[in-house]
Amino acid sequence: MSETPAVTVDIARLSTGDADFEARLETLLAWEGVSDADVQARVDEILFAVRSRGDAALIEFTNRFDRLSVSTMGELTLDAERLERAFTDLPEEQREALAHAAERIRLYHERQKPSSWSYVEADGTVLGQQVMPLDRAGIYVPGGKAAYPSSVLMNAIPAHVAGVREIVMVVPTPDGVVNELVLAAAHLAGVDHVFTVGGAQAVAALAYGTESVPRVDKIVGPGNIFVATAKRAVFGQVGIDMIAGPSEILVVSDGGTDPDWLAMDLFSQAEHDEDAQALLVSWDARHLAEVEAAIARLLPTLDRETIVRESLSRRGALIHCRDRDEAVALANRIAPEHLELSVADPEALLPQIRHAGAIFMGRYTAEALGDYCAGPNHVLPTSGTARFSSPLGVYDFQKRSSIIHCSERGAATLGRVASVLARGESLTAHARSAEYRGTPEA
Amino acid sequence: MSETPAVTVDIARLSTGDADFEARLETLLAWEGVSDADVQARVDEILFAVRSRGDAALIEFTNRFDRLSVSTMGELTLDAERLERAFTDLPEEQREALAHAAERIRLYHERQKPSSWSYVEADGTVLGQQVMPLDRAGIYVPGGKAAYPSSVLMNAIPAHVAGVREIVMVVPTPDGVVNELVLAAAHLAGVDHVFTVGGAQAVAALAYGTESVPRVDKIVGPGNIFVATAKRAVFGQVGIDMIAGPSEILVVSDGGTDPDWLAMDLFSQAEHDEDAQALLVSWDARHLAEVEAAIARLLPTLDRETIVRESLSRRGALIHCRDRDEAVALANRIAPEHLELSVADPEALLPQIRHAGAIFMGRYTAEALGDYCAGPNHVLPTSGTARFSSPLGVYDFQKRSSIIHCSERGAATLGRVASVLARGESLTAHARSAEYRGTPEA
């Protein structure tokens, strides 16, 4: 039997120099949140039922899935007063922390508001774009163990800053358990009312409307596979934010950050759930070994040790690379949801980072600060979708209309060009419509 | 037998005062581009084949569906030189009209570029957002009768203005028929190369990549039901623009615009296809009758008379309303793709318009001018999705990363807040990660 103390930890160790590096990385990153045919069929059935039978179906599914026995939607509705009470009844420390976070999130998102604009051309033609908020937004908040008040702030505050007229929140209360912190956050974030429903049935109610639940224009917020499948199905009928995968972090370290800090940063990602992904890359091999030792030492001290062990062994990795450039290339290859640049001069790396949901710069910027209260949104593109998606923002709750106001002279010029192009496409009614304006008084 | 001249036209006549108005309007607007199980299954099969077998599958499907007999991807590839030749070989009038349109579209879209921004807080913490273009965009262009060079300009120019590194276009060439105007537009719009493939197989190639077709980050552009179904399926793997429904216009007239002009504006929408929707609303009953007479008189002079008759009878309507306010309410209710405000003072109505893809202001701004060359994009949200979607724009080819750079002092403050909130969510590794920074030197 070995006498070595058990400081080993079950986490992949990769090196960019390995022949099989790309294949192993690919396997590690692979994630497909595809719903199987069974889930799809059950979701379709729920969507159809709520669409055709409204409140009655919503109540039935809620009683069945959340183990309740209500008979009216009134019992599944919380008004603004109830939300405010949840807030004022909080312990002072929590109330202040929540209010502080809400205020910072609001300040950051106010900078994000796009404005309407227009310009006048020499002939008097006006072109522009008008920005308007959505009329009504729906916020999905998971119930049970994954009910996060911080997510309520992150989803609802951008909608409120955008000027959305009505913000409707849905949150299931399995076995009738209500999360007061979630309701308090809803109050702070400007939510107008809450329905305590969840799952595909809540998505259906928001997308189609029922007698009690108003139809919304966009549904945002995370959920389980039923919620994700339902959101994908109603996309087009309403807007949706994104289909979120498991949460992930890539930490780039130059070797100068305390290994304990980095270990805890990786843990903070891994503790979300067993599919969460925590990756560390460094060109300093000794440093990687130190972080590994810190992981082994600190793991037993964690409240969620079992989850963390599982996610680190399934999807975590310590990656040794050649140099900074290779670390940057890796970040762009992975396009992580969270990217921590735990280096002395993060500003130098920043312009080279093309794909990341959020970038946490320097040794002091733990991802956890951004998760709660730095200001930027914590709803971020996962599974490499930072290649083409952005953090949730005010822009998700607004839309634009093009403005075209042709002067008589402008229409004459444009009419001639449009006519030639329309005839090239054999769309002669287009051409004639343009020509009417193109030759005034003709 | 009646002696009355046949000036009747088959188009719905509605009045907002009718008891059944809302129900009839609902029926008229109803549109569900839902793919049936058969289409879904065929698309899934194609996606799987191209994903697993790459070029070989792409060539097979292309030979089968487009009735070709090629054996290499080289035969399905057009390089930049070929595109340029298409442009230089055009008749001068078309070349100039296309170049004029491209230039105006480029100028308009350059105003749309969002910028990166950041701000520094009192304690030295920096917050901001970095805007970056996508690496690679895929433009889907339909082949056959719906191959529109103007759509190539409208889809590719915003990508080019956004700074996308590589723009890949796919366009099927059924029976080997190549549209030179489409290739010329691709040259002007900055497309890097073209693959002459289409359908779900082209979407699969762009989403997953093959030996020859590079994987893109986002796929934009319209297509038939197979293309739309494939885009919905690969959404998440890549970004997509939207699932477009049939094209539509709502014209609001105060009675002062030439009825012939308005009839032709309605025709220009209706001539797209049998599902296109052309609606006119006015509070002037006599004017509506005049437009109806103009429709009856001009219909027989149209090149696409059959299509126009069909779409007007299936989905068109002349709507009488009480007053301007009711017309505005109707516009917001319908959230049309194209909204023509054919009134004396369109500026007075504009602030009340909450939902429309593009707004054409005044009597001289025919929709056709915007379709080709005014500058704003003609890819617009259809079927009421203007409630939550925007015109295609530069912003569709860029994405944002949040930037957080905490100073040591900033981290200490934020660390305390984050710690309270994380413990409220039972995420204690988050709390401890924040606390490490929250109490420096502890």
Side-chain angles (χ1 to χ4, degrees), chain A residues 104 108 121 128 150 217 237 265 268 271 303 354 356 359 365 387 399 401-402 406 425 428 430 433 437, chain B residues 104 108 121 128 150 217 237 265 268 271 303 354 356 359 365 387 399 401-402 425 428 430 433 437:
Chain A
R104 291 189 58 89
Y108 178 86
E121 300 190 301
S150 57
D217 300 302
Q237 171 73 33
D265 293 353
S268 77
E271 76 172 339
D303 290 326
R354 297 201 312 280
I359 307 171
T365 315
R387 289 184 295 122
K399 71 272 177 0
S401 301
S402 306
C406 290
E425 294 181 354
T428 44
H430 280 71
S433 165
R437 277 77 170 193
Chain B
R104 290 188 59 88
Y108 178 86
E121 300 191 300
S150 56
D217 301 302
Q237 171 73 33
D265 293 353
S268 77
E271 75 172 339
D303 291 324
R354 297 202 312 282
I359 307 171
T365 315
R387 291 184 294 121
K399 70 269 175 5
S401 302
S402 304
E425 295 182 352
T428 44
H430 281 71
S433 165
R437 277 77 170 193

Side-chain angles (χ1 to χ4, degrees), chain B residues 323-395:
Chain B
D323 52 23
R324 297 163 64 99
D325 285 350
E326 211 173 58
V328 166
L330 202 58
N332 285 326
R333 155 78 179 78
I334 293 173
E337 181 190 12
H338 305 98
L339 175 64
E340 235 178 68
L341 298 178
S342 210
V343 299
D345 54 344
E347 297 293 347
L349 294 190
L350 186 60
Q352 302 170 57
I353 302 297
R354 297 202 312 282
H355 313 299
I359 307 171
F360 301 81
M361 316 258 296
R363 313 198 192 289
Y364 283 97
T365 315
E367 188 215 304
L369 304 181
D371 286 345
Y372 289 104
C373 55
N377 212 288
H378 79 193
V379 180
L380 298 166
T382 58
S383 310
T385 58
R387 291 184 294 121
F388 53 84
S389 312
S390 300
L392 189 71
V394 172
Y395 36 78

